[in-house]
Amino acid sequence: MNIFFVSLGCDKNLVDSEYMLGMIRDAGYTIIDDETQADVIVINTCCFINDAKEESINTILEMAEYKKTGHAKALIVTGCLAQRYRNEIEEEIPEVDAILGTNSYDNIVSAVKEVMAGKHYTNLNSLEGLPTLHTKRCVTTGGHYAHLKIAEGCNKRCTYCIIPYIRGNYRSIPIEELVATARELVEGGVKELILVAQETTLYGIDLYGKKSLHRLLDELNKIPGLYWIRILYCYPEEIDDELIEAIKRNDKVCHYLDIPIQHANSDVLKRMGRKTNKDDLVRIIHHLRKEIPDITLRTTLICGFPGETEEQHKELLEFVQEMKFDRLGAFTYSPEEGTKAAEMENQIPEETKKLWQQEVMELQEEIIFEKNEDMVDRELYAFIEGKVADENAYVGRTYRDAPSIDGYIFVNTEETLLTGDFAKVKVTGAYEYDLIGELA
């Protein structure tokens, strides 16, 4: 039986998809990349913001057509949209044969068997505990890097975010399970592990009674054959000295932190339900740069939050100019039904949100170019991600670049390199590097 799989949304969702692919493979089914030849189509959906919701719905409708024009006999919908809008999917898209919630994806093989037997199947487990997994993931990221999801859910309850209602409260995966999974991944060729969760900095609080990300880093750093450990989604207020010291003492941990701050104005942050104010953010950023001078800091911002004023937006621009983040993404506010922010007064017009986003990103482009110029003559290691067609150059990533999030560098060389090679390079321009060392 042929199964075609679509994974939408974030890297946490991708990890769930890779486990489902592993279960499908272990059950003896064939995974194909041609939807027109599939017997079963599985879509792992997202609904974090409105654009993601629309993409998920459009993908379901598109795939449903293959039940009419292709070989498809069944359509299975999993993930966040399935968890949140089960009733609407059942009522409005009758082509869907099975629905699995965010905490039920370990039942994917049962779902396939049921729908192929002509039965409808629905499984939305309570958002407690974690799925039971007894399979090796089917890594889809190219082989040399993989995401390691260390926890599920979130306790923060930011006023704009729906995640706690579709993913549940924070649940950490035990250290020994994560280390075993990491070893499997490295034995399979993975050289870089990217730690992800709705919030990585609270890791272990539910299992061990205190934040334990530093303990996890200590254990992962011992794995032979692993080159880099990268940490994403660190809430700034949870970054403590134990974590900073773990980053400093473990040589495989990249000096890179993703700290989504969302805004800089204290009043806006309070309405967002965030646990920091502007002074907190300045203090945390300065402390990180003092303790780890070569650290790369990445952040995300929301433009046009309800009630945000022109003056508060200008304050954000001034903050971006002052802090000079190495990497930054800005997004327009998306009102999500069921959240407090969606019910707030003074919603900002779309054109204003887009203008403010554009202003932030234009400023950040100038900052990044200047910071990249300042890197000239530095020597770094980089993963090779592919070759530039018809040129003696390759695209790559240094410790400063997270895959699928940040940009790429260009490595000039007459040598022949392969995807996944780890090479020593020298910065020669804002985005230009020369190969100078043997492959590690």
Side-chain angles (χ1 to χ4, degrees), residues 17-83:
S17 295
E18 291 180 343
Y19 273 115
M20 283 190 274
L21 286 168
M23 296 174 209
I24 290 169
R25 174 200 59 207
D26 293 349
Y29 302 125
T30 302
I31 301 165
I32 63 172
D33 59 6
D34 183 355
E35 58 269 42
T36 67
Q37 300 301 312
D39 298 301
V40 177
I41 297 175
V42 183
I43 306 165
N44 193 16
T45 61
C46 176
C47 67
F48 179 56
I49 59 176
N50 191 60
D51 286 350
K53 189 190 310 178
E54 288 185 5
E55 181 186 22
S56 292
I57 294 170
N58 290 336
T59 303
I60 294 171
L61 295 175
E62 178 187 350
M63 292 299 113
E65 287 298 307
Y66 291 104
K67 293 181 71 175
K68 304 173 185 176
T69 63
H71 288 75
K73 301 176 182 65
L75 181 62
I76 298 173
V77 176
T78 71
C80 292
L81 190 83
Q83 180 74 38

Side-chain angles (χ1 to χ4, degrees), residues 144-244:
H144 60 285
Y145 72 88
H147 299 91
L148 185 67
K149 184 161 73 167
I150 66 175
E152 182 61 274
C154 185
N155 296 339
K156 291 296 187 182
R157 300 301 193 273
C158 298
T159 61
Y160 53 82
C161 184
I162 198 67
I163 290 298
Y165 306 100
I166 54 180
R167 289 279 177 176
N169 288 328
Y170 200 86
R171 290 108 66 204
S172 303
I173 299 170
I175 288 179
E176 57 272 17
E177 290 184 23
L178 291 171
V179 172
T181 298
R183 288 184 181 277
E184 282 183 359
L185 291 169
V186 173
E187 288 168 3
V190 169
K191 300 175 184 177
E192 177 182 1
L193 287 174
I194 303 164
L195 307 191
V196 297
Q198 302 303 331
E199 177 186 357
T200 54
T201 26
L202 269 184
Y203 173 76
I205 192 76
D206 53 322
L207 293 180
Y208 311 115
K210 65 175 185 176
K211 292 182 286 189
S212 302
L213 182 56
H214 62 286
R215 290 178 52 200
L216 176 60
L217 294 177
D218 288 342
E219 295 304 314
L220 293 176
N221 198 71
K222 299 174 184 176
I223 298 176
L226 179 61
Y227 288 44
W228 283 349
I229 303 165
R230 186 182 302 277
I231 312 169
L232 301 185
Y233 310 116
C234 297
Y235 276 54
E237 70 271 17
E238 304 295 350
I239 297 172
D240 56 24
D241 286 338
E242 281 189 311
L243 175 58
I244 293 172

